[in-house]
Amino acid sequence: MFSFKWKFFWKRNIELLKYFEKYLNLHCCARAYTWKITSIGNILKEFEQHLGYRLFTDRFSVTGCEQLLVFLHRRNLKDNSIRDFMLKLQAMLNRAQSEGYTVKNNLRGVMPRYAVTQQVFLTRGELKSLYALEGLTTQQEIVRDTFLVGCYTGLRLSDLVTLNCCHIIDNRILKIVRKTKQPISIPLHPTVQEILAKYKNEIPKLKTLQNYNSHIKKICKAAGIDQLVTREFCQGGKIVQETIEKYKLVSSHTGRRTAITNLFLEKVVDMFTLMKFSGHANMASLLIYIKSSSSDHLRILSESSYFKDDASPILEAKLFSLKKRWQHSRNFTKMILRRHSS
């Protein structure tokens, strides 16, 4: 018991940046996660220079968190970026607390709410124009084809780059999703079949994923996907409205949104089947990916039988009433004839 208290006393607090460095040295983290922790540390280093003193794990009081929020707003970050930063910082503080360090964490009280941003998807016509685009370099063609496979299958980029001939069985993709470790089964679209046949059922490996999104934007611009899109977001503590071309909002994850939204708008599958297709565990996560407009919902409602056959129940009721009256009058006539005959 004494040794536990002595150990806990020496772990009373620790400098935050030193804990980050210690954590990365002790744990074998993925390159992407290491990059996230390093970027958080760089921002905190700037915050320390702004404050004039070093940050410890027990220094995140309400006042300290409010100062951090103001500092992040001055860096002109969007509210969703600030929220992601604070969530990752909060996770690191919770890890420090689980290891016995004293932690004061009031980030949740000042954390901005998640704001739904304007995210786009590509229509079936835009996908066809993208597939028919010519004059691309070999690298751009591989990027375009990889993106199109994602638009028709809903696979994430991490699953697309590991797709090979072993995953193609009976015109279906059978694969375990890298993120959720869940098995999925997706039928192959004719366009996907043509693309995979061109590469012998194995998409060539990209040289680097660093410029993948910039390549996609250039290719979409060349395909004429340049309609104007208006979006609103909170940046630097202020609501900003801007109108930009659609291709500037396209990224690697647009393919996943495109597949899910187009399947929803086609009304060919129910929501439960759509969840199985996308690999989502709950409906709330799935609805984030459906980027349909109010006009799309109005079209779906107007095409439903509920609004088209609205008069049919009334007509059926009238016919039923007339039939009952006819039967009653017929029975009454038979009864009168029987009495006269007797």
Side-chain angles (χ1 to χ4, degrees):
M1 188 71 181
F2 176 76
S3 61
F4 172 77
K5 286 186 177 181
W6 185 258
K7 182 180 180 182
F8 187 78
F9 174 80
W10 282 109
K11 280 193 171 184
R12 193 165 60 86
N13 64 0
I14 186 173
E15 189 178 336
L16 195 57
L17 293 179
K18 286 185 177 179
Y19 176 75
F20 281 12
E21 185 179 352
K22 176 185 174 183
Y23 177 82
L24 292 176
N25 290 333
L26 292 178
H27 297 81
C28 183
C29 303
R31 186 172 61 178
Y33 189 73
T34 303
W35 180 84
K36 289 178 182 179
I37 298 299
T38 305
S39 62
I40 293 172
N42 293 334
I43 295 175
L44 289 175
K45 192 178 293 183
E46 294 180 19
F47 185 51
E48 286 182 343
Q49 294 174 356
H50 171 73
L51 294 175
Y53 56 83
R54 295 181 178 179
L55 292 171
F56 287 80
T57 53
D58 58 350
R59 295 284 180 88
F60 283 89
S61 60
V62 176
T63 305
C65 292
E66 289 176 349
Q67 289 176 337
L68 177 61
L69 181 64
V70 172
F71 173 76
L72 294 174
H73 276 150
R74 286 178 179 174
R75 292 183 92 252
N76 209 28
L77 294 177
K78 297 177 183 178
D79 276 13
N80 285 352
S81 300
I82 294 175
R83 179 179 175 83
D84 291 340
F85 171 83
M86 288 189 170
L87 284 173
K88 293 182 179 70
L89 177 58
Q90 183 173 254
M92 293 301 295
L93 289 173
N94 291 339
R95 288 180 183 275
Q97 189 174 25
S98 66
E99 293 180 14
Y101 295 105
T102 303
V103 171
K104 184 177 286 186
N105 181 7
N106 292 286
L107 289 170
R108 187 171 292 276
V110 300
M111 192 181 300
R113 291 183 178 181
Y114 175 78
V116 179
T117 56
Q118 179 68 29
Q119 295 171 328
V120 297
F121 74 99
L122 302 186
T123 62
R124 299 191 69 170
E126 290 170 337
L127 292 177
K128 289 180 180 178
S129 63
L130 194 62
Y131 185 55
L133 184 63
E134 297 179 350
L136 300 176
T137 63
T138 305
Q139 184 69 8
Q140 286 178 334
E141 189 173 352
I142 294 173
V143 170
R144 188 270 311 270
D145 291 343
T146 305
F147 179 72
L148 282 174
V149 172
C151 289
Y152 286 110
T153 61
L155 291 174
R156 298 177 181 88
L157 183 60
S158 58
D159 296 313
L160 286 172
V161 296
T162 57
L163 190 66
N164 56 50
C165 57
C166 299
H167 301 124
I168 313 298
I169 301 174
D170 297 332
N171 284 332
R172 291 182 301 163
I173 295 178
L174 300 176
K175 198 175 190 300
I176 296 178
V177 179
R178 182 176 178 181
K179 183 178 180 180
T180 60
K181 304 298 186 292
Q182 296 294 324
I184 58 169
S185 177
I186 302 171
L188 292 181
H189 189 274
T191 305
V192 178
Q193 292 181 18
E194 292 179 12
I195 293 173
L196 293 177
K198 182 167 63 173
Y199 300 113
K200 297 181 180 179
N201 284 347
E202 187 168 353
I203 298 177
K205 298 291 183 289
L206 297 168
K207 293 181 180 179
T208 176
L209 297 176
Q210 188 174 2
N211 299 320
Y212 182 86
N213 287 335
S214 61
H215 283 310
I216 286 296
K217 288 176 172 59
K218 292 177 182 177
I219 295 168
C220 288
K221 182 181 179 180
I225 306 173
D226 54 0
Q227 67 183 77
L228 296 179
V229 178
T230 302
R231 63 173 184 166
E232 276 189 1
F233 53 89
C234 192
Q235 184 174 10
K238 299 178 182 179
I239 296 177
V240 180
Q241 186 179 44
E242 67 174 1
T243 302
I244 58 175
E245 293 85 353
K246 186 176 181 178
Y247 70 86
K248 292 183 179 179
L249 298 176
V250 178
S251 63
S252 61
H253 217 56
T254 304
R256 186 163 168 80
R257 283 193 296 271
T258 297
I260 295 172
T261 303
N262 282 330
L263 270 176
F264 171 78
L265 294 178
E266 289 291 330
K267 301 179 296 181
V268 292
V269 295
D270 56 83
M271 297 300 286
F272 181 76
T273 307
L274 198 55
M275 279 178 58
K276 291 295 183 182
F277 166 80
S278 63
H280 286 108
N282 54 70
M283 191 66 67
S285 301
L286 174 65
L287 292 176
I288 296 175
Y289 283 82
I290 299 176
K291 300 302 173 184
S292 54
S293 62
S294 56
S295 60
D296 293 326
H297 288 286
L298 181 61
R299 177 179 58 81
I300 293 172
L301 286 173
S302 61
E303 291 176 357
S304 66
S305 59
Y306 179 84
F307 291 97
K308 283 186 176 181
D309 303 330
D310 189 42
S312 59
I314 300 174
L315 183 61
E316 288 179 4
K318 288 183 178 180
L319 290 173
F320 181 77
S321 178
L322 289 173
K323 187 177 180 180
K324 282 289 185 182
R325 288 179 183 179
W326 178 78
Q327 288 179 349
H328 179 72
S329 62
R330 185 181 178 185
N331 293 336
F332 182 76
T333 305
K334 285 182 178 180
M335 184 183 67
I336 296 296
L337 290 174
R338 285 172 187 170
R339 286 182 180 180
H340 280 288
S341 62
S342 62

